[in-house]
Amino acid sequence: MSALDTLIRTEASLLLRNPTALFMALAFPAVLLLMQGFVIPGTREAVTGVNDPLLDGLRVIDLFVPIALTAALGSVALTNFPSAIGGYREQGVLRRLGSTPVGPHRILASQLVVSAVSLVGGAFIATGAAMLLLGAHGPQSGLLVVVTFGLSAIAMLSLGSIIAARAATAQSANGIGMLVFIASLFTAGVWTPGPLMSEPLRQIAGYTPLGAASQSLSAAWYGQPFPLLQLLVLIAWTIPSAFLAYRTFRWR
């Protein structure tokens, strides 16, 4: 077994022992979606006031399913991942690994792998809960949803890497990440789904990373026109974010 395999197993074990991180990764998106469906009035009624034949016959809660996937992306990429790396920096783990054959880069790789797997798990749980408990519709284009979700995950992890690159402690990383996450939930449409937003607000949200992810996932989910602009926006966020995180990363 390689050093990376061992670290991945260790990181997965640490995640399972952290109730807060485990909740944010696996349960939060589903809980958020179920609260929308069972607590907020009107969300299980038909969509009205939207001039889009592709949305005919859908309920308001159906529009929240792709948004729940973006909540899975943001909860892991902006809170769990930066907090873990900030904690390692605070404890001197990264510095100590730098003097061993393992190297600190492997712990970063293992944390990225565990984060990616956990956000996929959170997305599956949220989708399953929506379809089983809320009777939500499945995606019109499963392949496009997978591709879009994968690109969105890379973009959000790149953005989270900026926080992870500089945060001195786990607490500071979590605080910064949570502020960005909450703001991102607004652009993703948690309070008002994209199709129900005013056109100016929807266009502005489409240029934010989680807003672009939400709109592209919604387009893929409901068979709307190919979301080329939103996918280009995700790429435009990914490249500079990853570069900035790489250039500014602190091992100490």
Side-chain angles (χ1 to χ4, degrees), residues 162-184:
I162 299 177
I163 303 172
R166 301 302 299 173
T169 66
Q171 185 174 5
S172 63
N174 187 67
I176 296 169
M178 190 60 69
L179 287 175
V180 177
F181 180 44
I182 292 173
S184 297

Side-chain angles (χ1 to χ4, degrees), residues 25-34 38 59 61-73 118-142 145-146 149 217-218 221-222:
L26 300 181
F28 175 74
V31 170
L32 181 65
L33 184 59
L34 293 176
F38 289 111
R59 302 164 302 163
I61 191 61
D62 294 322
L63 303 181
F64 280 104
V65 179
I67 296 171
L69 302 188
T70 65
L73 292 168
S118 63
L119 65 84
V120 169
F124 268 108
I125 292 172
T127 302
M131 297 177 71
L132 292 174
L133 301 178
L134 297 173
H137 294 266
Q140 294 289 323
S141 176
V145 167
V146 170
F149 186 82
L217 283 168
S218 294
W221 200 276
Y222 297 114

Side-chain angles (χ1 to χ4, degrees), residues 15 21 60 69 71 77 114 121 149 181 183 194 246:
L15 174 63
V60 174
L69 302 188
V114 171
F149 186 82
F181 180 44
Y246 173 76

Side-chain angles (χ1 to χ4, degrees), residues 46-59 62-63 137 222:
V47 175
T48 58
V50 179
N51 187 23
D52 188 344
L54 294 173
L55 300 181
D56 287 346
L58 296 180
R59 302 164 302 163
D62 294 322
L63 303 181
H137 294 266
Y222 297 114

